[in-house]
Amino acid sequence: MAGPMGGGPRRGPRGPVQKPKNAKGTIIRLFRYILKHKGLFIGMLVFAAISSLATVSGSLFIKPIVDDYLTPMVGQEFTKELVAPLIRIMILMGSIFLCGALASFGQSKCSVWLTQRTLNTLRKDLFDALSDLPISFFDSRPNGEIMSRFTNDVETLRMFISQGLTQFISSGIMIVGSFFIMLFLSWQMTLIVIAMVIVMVFITRTLGKKSAFFFKKQQEQLGSVNGYIEEIIEGQKVVKVFNHEGEVVSHFGDINENLRKAATSANTFASMLGPIMNNLAHITYALTAAVGGLLAIKKAMTAGDIVAFLQYIRSFTQPISNITQQFNNALMALAGAERIFDIIDQKPEIDEGYVVLVNAKLNDKGEIEETEKHTGIWAWKHTHGDGTVTYTRLAGDIVFEDVTFGYTDEKTVLHDVSLYAKPGQKIAFVGSTGAGKTTITNLINRFYEIQEGKIRYDGINIQKIKKDDLRRSLGIVLQDTHLFTGTIEDNIRYGNLEATHEDIVRAAKTANAHSFIENLPDGYNTMLTGDGANLSQGQRQLLSIARAAVADPPVLILDEATSSIDTRTEKQIEKGMDALMEGRTVFVIAHRLSTVRNANAIMVLENGRIIERGDHDDLIEQKGKYYQLYTGSFEEN
Ligand SMILES: Nc1ncnc2c1ncn2[C@@H]1O[C@H](COP(=O)(O)OP(=O)(O)OP(=O)(O)O)[C@@H](O)[C@H]1O
Ligand SMILES: [Mg+2]
């Protein structure tokens, strides 16, 4: 099956031909997926072979029926002896066609199963790859564009695997089979057919080159249309607030128009192909019929030969025109497969960490021992090169040593940041917007890799810690809360999947979310949809605090978690938060002084540098930036 496909899409030496970048590699990879279901694939092949062989060989009866049965009957009376053999041979022919029909039923079953299973695996691998990608990947492209790989590109593959693949296989068999039989019937007439086929292939290649470029463009445009739709749905409110409906509609009109143009160009060439091929097939038919007539007059051929030959022209040219039409589907599918593999091949988040987090207990001598049970004591299990294992108790000691970082190579966001947080300390970051506060917390949980310096967690370089375990030890309330579709209880449980209902209520009470949840008609079973759109901003934040609380982590990172909460609620939360922060290392980023004031150390950030550090009283005394912030923007609190 690689034959007809591999033979066709050869690169033209010049011109705007944009084939899949690495067609051969993509085909091989795609087949590796398809061959994961060898049984179905072979079944499909075998059934396709049987069905096309039946078609080809069924027609073999035409010649003897005409020459040996019908011709002698001309002018004769119908007698039982004369008709019985004809009926017998007709029944034989009928049974062969019936076998073919059954096989083609089997083939379509196999093909459906094969297609759906292959796509299922492909989607799974794509999603797995997506989950392993670093945050920076998502920073750099619109969601809808990624979504379109799951929808459009997978759909083009579905068409190709379910229809194209079997077409290539059965057409191949029909072409080869018919060719030899035609050759056997009349080489002269076969020559005419071959000449016409060369013309057909030439036209296909010329048109195919043109349309391949536009098919690729069509997929890309479809991606950007989807991306835009998704973005506008998410940003509905902003669109309405600024009365941008008009612009949005007109921009959509533009990109929709681009899609139309690309799709029209792609399909114009593709749809020209069918009629051209059909007409050529008719011409071939007429030409060979004429030549056949001449040959018959010269007695070089029998009537049966001609009827059979004409039948074989159909089963020879029909599959050729099928293949040429499938050709564009194949190109489109390859372009889609390439876009899918492109994501699967993206470099996943680096995780060469080997230090893991384990449950621990203290033995009689006060040493740390690993245990299966949940003890509330955790230890870092460090397996060294020589096979020895050491344990370090998880305490929540975090040190930054001259950390320099930028999201992109062009712009450094943090410069030589050094800081330390002792277990149980509360460290606050303040500073103007864009100073780099969120960035620091993004580095502790290793959303991004630092360019220079070191971050140590309980004395261990965090690059040595397995990412899952690192993040499991951190409770994080992100600046932008995100809630999933599900009940409130499910959303809180996201912090710790083993939490019981009681744990969840306790966490909600700590976060001061309990009372508002109780007041909802369905309480903890209230369904949240669309990122918690049915809750207020403050309520969403309370839920995300509860989510961190239920995880019960030794280190907490709170990014402006209280910024959307009114002053009275804030006071209540503060009490809960103090309880939550008790005995933990806490990094807190807050724009409100009340949250910052009782921190053990306050870091004032400006343009990615720590410019002041100390506790509240020290910093006020210094009369620097913090003093300004405190007497300025913090005044209203
Ligand atoms: N994903 C990103 N990709 C590229 N640059 C980023 C990214 N996120 C933040 N930055 C840049 O890094 C700098 C620091 O951003 P950061 O989010 O750490 O600020 P912040 O101190 O948390 O501000 P705020 O108080 O507004 O939350 C900014 O200049 C911002 O433009
Ligand atoms: Mg921030």
Side-chain angles (χ1 to χ4, degrees), residues 135-136 139 406-408 411 413-414 431-440 442 448 479 559-560 589 591 605:
I135 302 282
S136 53
D139 287 349
Y407 290 95
T408 54
K411 189 179 158 217
V413 172
L414 293 182
S432 32
T433 188
K437 306 178 295 291
T438 300
T439 305
I440 289 189
N442 278 342
Y448 300 91
Q479 188 166 12
D559 195 350
E560 305 188 30
I589 302 168
H591 286 169
L605 277 169

Side-chain angles (χ1 to χ4, degrees), residues 2 11 33 50 85 128 142 187 207-208 210 229 306 320 350 388 405 478 483 485 564 571 598 615 619:
R11 270 152 218 270
Y33 273 93
I50 294 176
D128 284 355
W187 63 266
L207 289 182
K210 288 213 174 5
I229 295 174
I306 298 176
I320 290 183
I350 316 163
T388 54
F405 168 78
L478 296 172
L483 299 169
T485 303
S564 305
K571 288 256 150 32
N598 59 353
D615 65 14
L619 291 177

Side-chain angles (χ1 to χ4, degrees), residues 381-396:
K381 181 181 182 181
H382 202 138
T383 312
H384 299 274
D386 55 5
T388 54
V389 175
T390 52
Y391 293 95
T392 315
R393 184 163 177 179
L394 173 71

